[in-house]
Protein backbone atom coordinates (compact mmCIF):
# COMPACT_ATOMS: atom_id res chain seq x y z
CA UNK A 1 0.00 0.00 0.00
CA UNK A 2 1.21 3.50 -0.83
CA UNK A 3 0.77 6.61 1.29
CA UNK A 4 -1.74 7.96 -1.24
CA UNK A 5 -3.78 4.75 -1.16
CA UNK A 6 -3.97 4.84 2.63
CA UNK A 7 -5.00 8.51 2.65
CA UNK A 8 -7.85 7.66 0.27
CA UNK A 9 -8.90 4.83 2.59
CA UNK A 10 -8.72 7.15 5.60
CA UNK A 11 -10.76 9.86 3.87
CA UNK A 12 -13.43 7.43 2.64
CA UNK A 13 -16.53 8.74 4.42
CA UNK A 14 -18.51 5.60 3.65
CA UNK A 15 -16.32 3.41 5.85
CA UNK A 16 -15.75 3.65 9.61
CA UNK A 17 -12.78 1.27 9.58
CA UNK A 18 -9.32 0.85 8.09
CA UNK A 19 -7.48 -2.38 7.31
CA UNK A 20 -4.29 -3.29 9.13
CA UNK A 21 -2.01 -6.30 9.35
CA UNK A 22 -0.50 -7.84 12.47
CA UNK A 23 3.28 -8.28 12.52
CA UNK A 24 3.34 -12.09 12.35
CA UNK A 25 5.92 -12.52 15.12
CA UNK A 26 3.79 -15.07 17.00
CA UNK A 27 1.92 -16.57 14.06
CA UNK A 28 0.94 -15.86 10.50
CA UNK A 29 0.19 -12.17 9.81
CA UNK A 30 -3.53 -11.52 9.71
CA UNK A 31 -5.70 -8.71 8.44
CA UNK A 32 -7.84 -6.91 11.00
CA UNK A 33 -10.23 -3.97 10.87
CA UNK A 34 -9.68 -0.98 13.13
CA UNK A 35 -12.33 1.60 13.94
CA UNK A 36 -11.30 5.00 12.63
CA UNK A 37 -12.42 6.56 15.89
CA UNK A 38 -9.95 4.38 17.83
CA UNK A 39 -7.19 5.28 15.36
CA UNK A 40 -8.03 9.00 15.51
CA UNK A 41 -7.94 9.08 19.32
CA UNK A 42 -4.63 7.20 19.35
CA UNK A 43 -3.09 9.71 16.95
CA UNK A 44 -4.37 12.67 18.99
CA UNK A 45 -2.82 11.26 22.17
CA UNK A 46 0.60 11.17 20.50
CA UNK A 47 0.09 14.64 19.02
CA UNK A 48 -0.60 16.02 22.50
CA UNK A 49 2.31 14.15 24.11
CA UNK A 50 4.88 15.55 21.70
CA UNK A 51 3.17 18.91 21.17
CA UNK A 52 2.78 18.49 17.41
CA UNK A 53 1.11 21.21 15.34
CA UNK A 54 0.77 22.59 11.83
CA UNK A 55 4.34 23.88 12.06
CA UNK A 56 5.73 20.43 12.88
CA UNK A 57 7.68 18.15 10.55
CA UNK A 58 7.25 14.35 10.57
CA UNK A 59 9.14 11.75 8.54
CA UNK A 60 7.84 8.37 7.43
CA UNK A 61 10.34 5.56 6.87
CA UNK A 62 8.01 2.67 7.78
CA UNK A 63 5.64 0.76 5.53
CA UNK A 64 2.04 2.07 5.29
CA UNK A 65 0.99 -1.59 5.21
CA UNK A 66 1.46 -1.78 8.98
CA UNK A 67 -0.01 0.21 11.84
CA UNK A 68 3.19 2.10 12.74
CA UNK A 69 3.40 3.54 9.24
CA UNK A 70 -0.33 4.26 9.03
CA UNK A 71 -0.27 6.13 12.34
CA UNK A 72 2.49 8.49 11.22
CA UNK A 73 0.31 9.45 8.27
CA UNK A 74 -2.78 9.95 10.46
CA UNK A 75 -0.78 12.06 12.95
CA UNK A 76 0.43 14.31 10.16
CA UNK A 77 -3.10 14.70 8.79
CA UNK A 78 -4.73 15.49 12.14
CA UNK A 79 -1.94 17.87 13.20
CA UNK A 80 -1.85 19.35 9.67
CA UNK A 81 1.90 18.81 9.88
CA UNK A 82 4.42 18.39 7.07
CA UNK A 83 5.19 14.74 6.23
CA UNK A 84 8.21 13.62 4.24
CA UNK A 85 8.29 10.04 2.99
CA UNK A 86 10.95 7.55 1.94
CA UNK A 87 10.90 3.86 1.06
CA UNK A 88 11.25 1.63 4.15
CA UNK A 89 14.88 0.65 4.65
CA UNK A 90 17.19 -0.19 7.55
CA UNK A 91 19.41 2.76 6.65
CA UNK A 92 17.19 5.85 6.96
CA UNK A 93 18.32 8.51 4.47
CA UNK A 94 15.84 11.30 5.39
CA UNK A 95 15.21 11.82 1.69
CA UNK A 96 12.85 14.70 1.02
CA UNK A 97 12.85 15.93 4.63
CA UNK A 98 13.64 19.33 6.14
CA UNK A 99 15.43 19.59 9.48
CA UNK A 100 14.86 19.57 12.32
CA UNK A 101 12.18 16.88 12.31
CA UNK A 102 9.76 16.95 15.23
CA UNK A 103 8.91 13.24 15.18
CA UNK A 104 10.42 10.13 13.62
CA UNK A 105 9.12 6.59 14.16
CA UNK A 106 11.51 3.68 13.65
CA UNK A 107 12.10 0.03 14.54
CA UNK A 108 15.20 -1.04 16.52
CA UNK A 109 17.20 -2.14 13.46
CA UNK A 110 16.77 1.33 11.90
CA UNK A 111 17.60 3.06 15.18
CA UNK A 112 20.84 1.13 15.53
CA UNK A 113 22.12 2.59 12.26
CA UNK A 114 20.78 6.08 13.00
CA UNK A 115 22.72 6.29 16.25
CA UNK A 116 25.98 6.06 14.30
CA UNK A 117 25.23 9.59 13.02
CA UNK A 118 26.84 12.11 15.39
CA UNK A 119 24.59 14.88 14.05
CA UNK A 120 21.33 12.97 14.70
CA UNK A 121 20.34 15.28 17.57
CA UNK A 122 20.38 18.27 15.20
CA UNK A 123 18.20 16.44 12.70
CA UNK A 124 15.48 14.94 14.93
CA UNK A 125 13.89 16.29 18.12
CA UNK A 126 11.94 13.16 19.07
CA UNK A 127 12.33 9.52 18.03
CA UNK A 128 9.81 6.83 18.92
CA UNK A 129 10.91 3.23 18.55
CA UNK A 130 8.73 0.13 18.60
CA UNK A 131 8.01 -3.17 16.91
CA UNK A 132 10.19 -5.10 19.35
CA UNK A 133 11.82 -4.36 22.72
CA UNK A 134 15.10 -2.48 22.86
CA UNK A 135 18.06 -4.71 23.61
CA UNK A 136 20.14 -3.66 26.64
CA UNK A 137 23.08 -2.80 24.37
CA UNK A 138 20.92 -0.64 22.07
CA UNK A 139 19.33 1.11 25.05
CA UNK A 140 22.80 1.93 26.37
CA UNK A 141 23.68 3.38 22.97
CA UNK A 142 20.48 5.46 23.09
CA UNK A 143 21.37 6.93 26.48
CA UNK A 144 24.83 7.88 25.28
CA UNK A 145 23.50 9.60 22.15
CA UNK A 146 21.92 12.59 23.88
CA UNK A 147 18.91 12.30 21.54
CA UNK A 148 15.40 12.11 22.98
CA UNK A 149 14.35 8.52 22.26
CA UNK A 150 11.08 7.07 23.52
CA UNK A 151 10.21 3.37 23.46
CA UNK A 152 6.61 2.53 22.64
CA UNK A 153 4.36 -0.28 23.80
CA UNK A 154 1.17 -1.35 22.08
CA UNK A 155 -0.42 -3.68 19.56
CA UNK A 156 -1.90 -3.42 16.10
CA UNK A 157 -5.28 -4.02 17.74
CA UNK A 158 -4.85 -0.94 19.98
CA UNK A 159 -4.04 1.27 16.96
CA UNK A 160 -0.34 1.55 17.78
CA UNK A 161 1.16 2.46 21.16
CA UNK A 162 -0.82 2.90 24.35
CA UNK A 163 2.19 3.68 26.55
CA UNK A 164 5.61 5.31 26.28
CA UNK A 165 8.90 4.95 28.12
CA UNK A 166 11.56 7.61 27.87
CA UNK A 167 14.85 5.74 27.45
CA UNK A 168 16.49 5.58 30.86
CA UNK A 169 13.21 5.16 32.72
CA UNK A 170 12.23 1.75 34.10
CA UNK A 171 8.49 1.76 33.49
CA UNK A 172 6.10 2.51 30.67
CA UNK A 173 3.48 5.18 31.37
CA UNK A 174 0.15 5.00 29.59
CA UNK A 175 -1.16 7.90 27.54
CA UNK A 176 -4.23 9.83 28.73
CA UNK A 177 -7.46 7.85 28.87
CA UNK A 178 -5.68 4.48 29.04
CA UNK A 179 -5.33 2.18 32.03
CA UNK A 180 -3.69 -1.20 32.56
CA UNK A 181 -4.17 -4.11 34.94
CA UNK A 182 -3.36 -7.81 35.09
CA UNK A 183 -5.63 -10.78 34.62
CA UNK A 184 -7.03 -12.88 37.48
CA UNK A 185 -3.74 -14.77 37.76
CA UNK A 186 -1.93 -11.47 38.21
CA UNK A 187 0.39 -12.06 35.28
CA UNK A 188 -0.68 -11.08 31.76
CA UNK A 189 -1.44 -7.47 30.92
CA UNK A 190 -4.92 -6.12 30.14
CA UNK A 191 -5.31 -2.74 28.41
CA UNK A 192 -8.41 -0.59 28.87
CA UNK A 193 -8.86 2.36 26.49
CA UNK A 194 -11.43 5.05 27.33
CA UNK A 195 -13.05 2.67 29.80
CA UNK A 196 -14.79 0.57 27.15
CA UNK A 197 -12.18 -0.93 24.81
CA UNK A 198 -10.58 -3.91 26.56
CA UNK A 199 -7.60 -5.78 25.11
CA UNK A 200 -6.11 -8.95 26.61
CA UNK A 201 -2.43 -9.37 25.79
CA UNK A 202 -0.07 -12.31 26.09
CA UNK A 203 2.56 -10.17 27.76
CA UNK A 204 3.64 -10.95 31.30
CA UNK A 205 3.84 -7.66 33.17
CA UNK A 206 4.70 -6.05 36.48
CA UNK A 207 1.99 -3.43 37.04
CA UNK A 208 2.92 -0.66 39.48
CA UNK A 209 -0.30 1.35 39.10
CA UNK A 210 -3.12 1.66 36.61
CA UNK A 211 -0.79 3.78 34.46
CA UNK A 212 2.69 2.36 35.09
CA UNK A 213 4.08 -1.05 34.19
CA UNK A 214 6.97 -2.96 32.71
CA UNK A 215 6.97 -5.99 30.45
CA UNK A 216 8.72 -9.13 31.73
CA UNK A 217 8.17 -11.27 28.64
CA UNK A 218 5.50 -13.16 26.73
CA UNK A 219 3.57 -16.22 27.84
CA UNK A 220 4.39 -17.74 24.42
CA UNK A 221 8.12 -17.41 25.13
CA UNK A 222 8.16 -18.71 28.72
CA UNK A 223 10.31 -21.81 29.19
CA UNK A 224 9.19 -24.48 31.68
CA UNK A 225 12.31 -26.37 32.74
CA UNK A 226 12.38 -28.83 35.62
CA UNK A 227 9.01 -27.48 36.79
CA UNK A 228 10.31 -23.88 36.97
CA UNK A 229 9.36 -21.00 34.68
CA UNK A 230 12.03 -18.96 32.90
CA UNK A 231 11.20 -15.68 31.15
CA UNK A 232 13.75 -15.26 28.32
CA UNK A 233 13.54 -11.46 28.22
CA UNK A 234 14.57 -11.21 31.88
CA UNK A 235 17.52 -13.55 31.42
CA UNK A 236 18.60 -11.64 28.31
CA UNK A 237 18.73 -8.44 30.35
CA UNK A 238 20.69 -10.14 33.14
CA UNK A 239 23.39 -11.42 30.80
CA UNK A 240 23.55 -8.42 28.46
CA UNK A 241 26.88 -7.10 29.78
CA UNK A 242 28.53 -10.52 29.46
CA UNK A 243 27.26 -10.94 25.91
CA UNK A 244 28.28 -7.41 24.89
CA UNK A 245 31.82 -8.08 26.09
CA UNK A 246 32.18 -11.45 24.34
CA UNK A 247 30.02 -10.89 21.25
CA UNK A 248 30.01 -7.12 20.57
CA UNK A 249 27.39 -6.12 18.03
CA UNK A 250 25.88 -9.63 17.80
CA UNK A 251 22.23 -10.26 18.65
CA UNK A 252 21.26 -13.10 20.96
CA UNK A 253 18.16 -14.67 22.47
CA UNK A 254 17.30 -17.17 25.17
CA UNK A 255 14.95 -19.91 23.98
CA UNK A 256 13.79 -23.38 24.98
CA UNK A 257 14.53 -26.65 23.20
CA UNK A 258 13.04 -30.07 23.96
CA UNK A 259 14.79 -32.11 26.63
CA UNK A 260 13.92 -35.63 27.88
CA UNK A 261 14.96 -34.86 31.46
CA UNK A 262 13.90 -31.23 31.93
CA UNK A 263 11.05 -31.09 29.35
CA UNK A 264 12.69 -27.94 27.99
CA UNK A 265 16.35 -26.98 27.97
CA UNK A 266 17.35 -23.31 28.28
CA UNK A 267 19.41 -22.50 25.20
CA UNK A 268 21.44 -19.44 24.24
CA UNK A 269 21.23 -18.62 20.51
CA UNK A 270 23.63 -16.11 18.98
CA UNK A 271 23.31 -14.48 15.57
CA UNK A 272 26.49 -14.80 13.53
CA UNK A 273 29.56 -16.95 14.00
CA UNK A 274 32.46 -16.92 16.45
CA UNK A 275 35.18 -19.11 17.92
CA UNK A 276 34.02 -22.19 19.84
CA UNK A 277 36.07 -21.15 22.88
CA UNK A 278 34.07 -17.92 23.21
CA UNK A 279 30.86 -19.92 23.36
CA UNK A 280 32.25 -22.11 26.15
CA UNK A 281 33.45 -19.03 28.05
CA UNK A 282 30.07 -17.35 27.67
CA UNK A 283 28.25 -20.31 29.21
CA UNK A 284 30.73 -20.40 32.10
CA UNK A 285 30.37 -16.70 32.89
CA UNK A 286 26.59 -16.77 32.61
CA UNK A 287 26.33 -19.76 34.98
CA UNK A 288 28.35 -17.78 37.51
CA UNK A 289 26.08 -14.73 37.13
CA UNK A 290 22.51 -16.09 37.15
CA UNK A 291 20.52 -18.66 39.10
CA UNK A 292 21.25 -22.22 37.97
CA UNK A 293 17.79 -23.00 36.62
CA UNK A 294 17.88 -19.91 34.35
CA UNK A 295 21.38 -20.48 32.99
CA UNK A 296 21.56 -21.85 29.41
CA UNK A 297 22.70 -25.45 29.12
CA UNK A 298 24.02 -24.95 25.60
CA UNK A 299 24.87 -22.31 23.04
CA UNK A 300 24.16 -22.41 19.32
CA UNK A 301 24.95 -20.03 16.48
CA UNK A 302 22.68 -19.04 13.60
CA UNK A 303 23.89 -17.07 10.60
CA UNK A 304 20.79 -14.85 10.50
CA UNK A 305 17.75 -14.68 12.78
CA UNK A 306 14.31 -14.93 11.14
CA UNK A 307 12.57 -11.57 11.42
CA UNK A 308 9.28 -9.90 10.60
CA UNK A 309 9.17 -6.87 8.28
CA UNK A 310 9.41 -4.63 11.35
CA UNK A 311 12.65 -6.33 12.37
CA UNK A 312 11.19 -8.31 15.27
CA UNK A 313 12.88 -11.70 15.84
CA UNK A 314 10.48 -14.60 15.23
CA UNK A 315 11.36 -16.79 18.21
CA UNK A 316 9.06 -19.64 17.22
CA UNK A 317 11.25 -20.29 14.17
CA UNK A 318 14.49 -20.52 16.13
CA UNK A 319 13.99 -23.92 17.78
Amino acid sequence: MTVEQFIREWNDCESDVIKAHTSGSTGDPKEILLEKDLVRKSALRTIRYFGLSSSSRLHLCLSPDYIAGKMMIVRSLLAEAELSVEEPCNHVSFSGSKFPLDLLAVVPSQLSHLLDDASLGKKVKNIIVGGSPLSPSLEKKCRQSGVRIVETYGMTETASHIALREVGEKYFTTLDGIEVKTDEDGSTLIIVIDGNHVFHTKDVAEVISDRKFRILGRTDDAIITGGLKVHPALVEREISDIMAALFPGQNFVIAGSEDEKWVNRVTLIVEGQTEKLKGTLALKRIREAVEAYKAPKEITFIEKFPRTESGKIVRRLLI
Side-chain angles (χ1 to χ4, degrees):
M1 170 177 280
T2 65
V3 172
E4 292 74 19
Q5 287 171 332
F6 174 70
I7 291 176
R8 284 198 295 271
E9 180 184 19
W10 177 254
N11 288 332
D12 181 2
C13 298
E14 295 185 4
S15 175
D16 294 327
V17 298
I18 63 168
K19 294 178 182 178
H21 293 86
T22 59
S23 66
S25 60
T26 58
D28 293 331
K30 61 180 180 180
E31 183 179 274
I32 63 173
L33 298 177
L34 292 175
E35 296 177 10
K36 286 183 180 178
D37 185 56
L38 181 70
V39 174
R40 184 180 294 104
K41 288 178 179 177
S42 173
L44 290 172
R45 288 184 175 100
T46 303
I47 288 170
R48 288 193 293 270
Y49 186 92
F50 289 104
L52 304 178
S53 67
S54 58
S55 62
S56 299
R57 298 188 184 111
L58 283 63
H59 186 70
L60 177 62
C61 58
L62 299 170
S63 171
D65 286 328
Y66 295 93
I67 192 63
K70 294 179 191 295
M71 292 307 299
M72 285 298 287
I73 300 170
V74 176
R75 290 167 196 143
S76 70
L77 292 173
L78 295 184
E80 299 182 345
E82 181 180 330
L83 179 69
S84 49
V85 180
E86 69 174 276
E87 286 295 316
C89 176
N90 260 349
H91 294 268
V92 179
S93 68
F94 295 116
S95 58
S97 61
K98 300 175 185 176
F99 300 125
L101 294 168
D102 293 278
L103 186 64
L104 173 70
V106 294
V107 296
S109 57
Q110 292 173 317
L111 180 60
S112 180
H113 293 296
L114 281 170
L115 291 175
D116 292 331
D117 181 356
S119 64
L120 182 61
K122 296 179 181 179
K123 294 177 179 177
V124 188
K125 294 180 181 178
N126 303 288
I127 297 177
I128 54 175
V129 55
S132 61
L134 291 179
S135 68
S137 59
L138 183 54
E139 177 152 351
K140 182 178 180 181
K141 197 174 178 181
C142 289
R143 291 198 302 270
Q144 294 171 339
S145 71
V147 181
R148 188 190 186 193
I149 299 170
V150 183
E151 185 178 10
T152 67
Y153 174 81
M155 313 180 332
T156 302
E157 292 85 347
T158 59
S160 187
H161 53 257
I162 57 94
L164 299 171
R165 181 183 71 89
E166 305 266 349
V167 166
E169 294 182 354
K170 186 175 182 179
Y171 299 104
F172 283 98
T173 301
T174 64
L175 295 172
D176 56 280
I178 301 174
E179 295 183 353
V180 292
K181 58 184 179 180
T182 54
D183 62 9
E184 292 179 356
D185 295 332
S187 55
T188 54
L189 191 72
I190 296 175
I191 301 165
V192 183
I193 301 178
D194 293 329
N196 58 0
H197 289 88
V198 181
F199 301 89
H200 293 257
T201 76
K202 292 185 178 180
D203 290 319
V204 181
E206 175 190 2
V207 174
I208 303 302
S209 70
D210 58 9
R211 295 200 62 190
K212 285 191 178 293
F213 65 96
R214 69 169 177 153
I215 299 299
L216 305 180
R218 285 185 62 84
T219 54
D220 316 67
D221 301 332
I223 304 166
I224 305 299
T225 179
L228 299 172
K229 184 180 289 187
V230 175
H231 290 295
L234 290 182
V235 180
E236 289 162 10
R237 282 197 282 269
E238 286 186 62
I239 68 174
S240 61
D241 288 343
I242 296 172
M243 296 301 292
L246 291 174
F247 307 102
Q250 289 181 250
N251 296 300
F252 68 93
V253 298
I254 293 291
S257 55
E258 291 185 7
D259 186 279
E260 289 186 7
K261 180 179 180 181
W262 303 106
V263 180
N264 286 290
R265 180 171 62 255
V266 180
T267 302
L268 172 62
I269 308 176
V270 181
E271 186 175 37
Q273 300 300 320
T274 190
E275 302 90 352
K276 185 177 180 180
L277 285 176
K278 272 193 179 181
T280 303
L281 180 59
L283 291 180
K284 179 178 182 297
R285 290 188 180 176
I286 291 169
R287 286 166 185 162
E288 293 171 350
V290 305
E291 295 173 85
Y293 78 96
K294 295 190 290 187
K297 304 296 188 291
E298 64 178 346
I299 183 170
T300 61
F301 295 88
I302 292 180
E303 189 62 37
K304 194 172 181 63
F305 284 159
R307 285 180 167 81
T308 64
E309 285 192 24
S310 67
K312 188 183 298 184
I313 296 171
V314 186
R315 290 176 181 264
R316 62 190 170 84
L317 299 180
L318 288 174
I319 297 294

